[in-house]
Structure formats: structure tokens, C-alpha cells
Amino acid sequence: MSESAPVTSTDTAPGSPVAHNATRSADPIAWPGNTSAAAILSFDLDAEAVVLSSDVTNATRLSVMSHQAYGPLTGVPRILRLLQRHDLRATFFVPGYTAERYPETIATIVDAGHEIAHHGYLHERVRGMSASEEAEMLDRGLAALWRVAGLRPAGYRAPMWETTYATPSLLMDRAFMYDSSLMDCDVPYILAEHAGPGARSLAEIPVHWALDDWEQYAYLPEVFGSGLIESPAKVLEMWSLELQSLASEGGCFSLTNHPFLSGRPARLRALEQLIEMMRSLPSLWIATAEEVACHIRSLDLQPRSFPPAIIE
Ligand SMILES: [Zn+2]
């Protein structure tokens, strides 16, 4: 082994760490009634927005556009039939651009009793955005959902789960009840703006890449994906283990699917088998993200907060 150079501070070092209350994990959750764990089925209706935000010239590529249009045109109707078969309500996170392009799809989701939540306007990635730019994106998405569906969403999920240290406060400014973008916990919690008294807060419903169909199925040459498309059987096995493990620990199984990916027949068949497993767990509460957020906010949980950003 070669001797490595001594570590020195540089102009790019982040500075001394700010102490975090890392020794305290989240409070255990008392789930409703006789249940001891929760599960949320969510669908991120990215459609064309996700490929236009990364490269607007994708708008000229008919096949790329059609790949994304599969979600609202073919995936969503099949997903709605699946949810109806099992008498389940789900949460659809919708970019404002998608709502404006597919108002009839949004109407069918709303009419079926599902929750619509905020997912940016053009599925913007906020990395490098100023707080005012991020605020403008949030307001544009809110305006689109109001214009198309006449609704004010209770929840927000950041596109690509990419947030800034300004995001929680911007959501609180707009009276969002919950966010679903962070990854530091197995159960939902109350995220406070700061550690001091009187801090504003919102419910946080954590997510993780392992419970997202994007990593399993997404493949669009020259746009995204590794080229490896996983078998739905492997995905079902992985998610079943996650479900059983989280349920045994009183956690919240928060699953993210995209209609343009999981709306395809074999993948939705695998999801149906997972739903059958969920329904076989009598102590599992299957709810929308808004219902879980309402429940979390009704509990007397100790809020969690984050230290200030290391780099302003
Ligand atoms: Zn998305």
C-alpha cells in the first residue's frame, strides 16, 4: 500500500461539522387502530416533463415523447383499474406541466378518489437554484394544479428527490402539510424549521431509491437509464423483503412508481402481487400520503430539525 499524502484543509473543504442530534432516532409511531405499520402507494406522473427539463430539444423526438406519454395515456388507466380492484387509494405526484398537457387524465385520477400532490412544474432539478427560483417553481406548479383540477395539494415531492436547505421553509410558507423527499428515517416524522421554540413544521414522509421503480426499469437511450432493465420477478422479490422488514419494525413502506414505467402489463402484475401481500398483512395500514401526514401531525411527536447548511 502506498503512503497517502497528509490531509490538509483546502478552500473547498466544507468546514467544521455542525453538531446534529444523531443519537436520537425518530420516535416510534403509533399507527391507527390495530395496525402496527403503514404503506403508501405513490405514482409520480412525470410524463414528458422529466425529459424536457433535462433537455428541451427532446421535444423534437417523437419516439422519446411517446415513451413518456405511455404513462398518462396507457399506464394510468391500467393503474386505476388495479387500485379499483383492490379498493385502494393512492397518491399521484404530478408536475404542473403534466397536468396542463393531460387534464383528462388528471380528472380520471381525481374522480377515482385518489390524492393529487405537487411534483414541480417541469420536473425541475433544484440543485444550484436560488431560493427565489425554487419559490417560483413551486408557485408555478401550484397555479397549474389549481387551474387544471381546482385543487390545492397538501403534499410535495421534489423532482428526483432533490431538495435544498431552503425547500422546507418554502413549503411552510405555502402551507404544505407534508413533504416526501428526504431519506434519513424509516418512519414519517415532524420536520421543524429550526431547533428553537415556536418553529414552524411539516410532516416528512421519507423515501428511498430502493423503493422506486426508476432504478429497476428506466431505460431510454441517450436520455436516462443504464441499459439494464430488471425482471419484474426480481423487483417483486426485493420489494417484498422491504415490505416484510419494514412492517415487522413498525415502519412506513413508501413505494414510488412511475406510470410510464410500471404501467406496463408484467410490471403491474408484479405490483398487484405485492399489493396482495400487503393486503394479507392484517396489521398494515394502507393509506395515502396525505392520510399518513395527517396522522403524523395528530401525534405529539418531538420535532426533528436539521442543522444549518454547511455552505451558504
Ligand atoms: Zn418525478
Side-chain angles (χ1 to χ4, degrees):
M1 180 184 293
S2 62
E3 193 171 335
S4 57
V7 176
T8 58
S9 61
T10 70
D11 290 343
T12 58
S16 300
V18 180
H20 195 6
N21 51 356
T23 55
R24 180 178 63 76
S25 62
D27 297 318
I29 299 295
W31 295 109
N34 294 325
T35 62
S36 59
I40 298 166
L41 293 170
S42 66
F43 298 90
D44 293 4
L45 192 50
D46 295 349
E48 292 96 332
V50 68
V51 298
L52 294 175
S53 64
S54 62
D55 183 354
V56 75
T57 67
N58 282 325
T60 65
R61 303 171 71 186
L62 178 56
S63 292
V64 168
M65 292 293 101
S66 73
H67 183 270
Q68 299 307 115
Y70 185 92
L73 297 180
T74 305
V76 167
R78 186 177 284 125
I79 289 165
L80 293 180
R81 291 195 296 273
L82 167 68
L83 295 170
Q84 186 176 27
R85 278 200 295 279
H86 293 275
D87 194 23
L88 290 174
R89 293 175 63 233
T91 301
F92 288 76
F93 291 92
V94 182
Y97 183 87
T98 300
E100 290 174 340
R101 187 164 169 81
Y102 297 103
E104 291 181 8
T105 300
I106 303 305
T108 61
I109 295 169
V110 172
D111 289 348
H114 302 291
E115 178 192 359
I116 299 282
H118 195 303
H119 196 41
Y121 178 74
L122 194 64
H123 207 274
E124 298 87 348
R125 299 182 189 191
V126 298
R127 184 179 180 185
M129 267 192 194
S130 67
S132 62
E133 289 170 331
E134 190 175 352
E136 188 180 331
M137 174 272 289
L138 287 171
D139 289 339
R140 203 173 173 199
L142 283 171
L145 292 178
W146 178 256
R147 213 165 31 245
V148 171
L151 60 86
R152 174 88 188 184
Y156 174 70
R157 171 171 288 165
M160 299 301 290
W161 293 328
E162 182 79 48
T163 54
T164 69
Y165 275 78
T167 306
S169 296
L170 292 172
L171 295 177
M172 293 171 203
D173 291 344
R174 286 155 183 78
F176 278 92
M177 184 196 299
Y178 74 89
D179 169 67
S180 181
S181 313
L182 304 182
M183 309 192 186
D184 59 334
C185 200
D186 296 322
V187 290
Y189 58 90
I190 298 298
L191 175 63
E193 194 170 21
H194 56 75
R200 299 182 301 169
S201 66
L202 49 89
E204 175 61 37
I205 300 175
V207 290
H208 191 260
W209 298 107
L211 290 176
D212 183 348
D213 64 347
W214 189 286
E215 288 61 46
Q216 310 304 320
Y217 300 137
Y219 176 55
L220 192 51
E222 300 174 19
V223 181
F224 52 64
S226 66
L228 176 66
I229 297 176
E230 296 286 1
S231 160
K234 171 252 178 179
V235 177
L236 175 60
E237 179 190 14
M238 189 174 81
W239 290 349
S240 298
L241 289 170
E242 293 281 351
L243 170 66
Q244 291 162 347
S245 303
L246 276 167
S248 71
E249 293 197 15
C252 182
F253 179 80
S254 182
L255 186 67
T256 299
N257 281 299
H258 297 76
F260 78 89
L261 296 171
S262 283
R264 291 184 180 272
R267 298 169 183 178
L268 212 65
R269 176 66 193 131
L271 181 59
E272 182 154 28
Q273 289 177 267
L274 184 73
I275 286 173
E276 287 163 358
M277 178 181 292
M278 291 164 66
R279 291 172 62 83
S280 74
L281 300 174
S283 59
L284 187 69
W285 181 43
I286 306 173
T288 65
E290 182 177 8
E291 289 169 335
V292 169
C294 276
H295 175 68
I296 294 305
R297 288 171 67 110
S298 75
L299 303 174
D300 187 25
L301 297 177
Q302 179 74 25
R304 294 156 61 98
S305 61
F306 283 94
I310 294 168
I311 299 172
E312 294 296 334

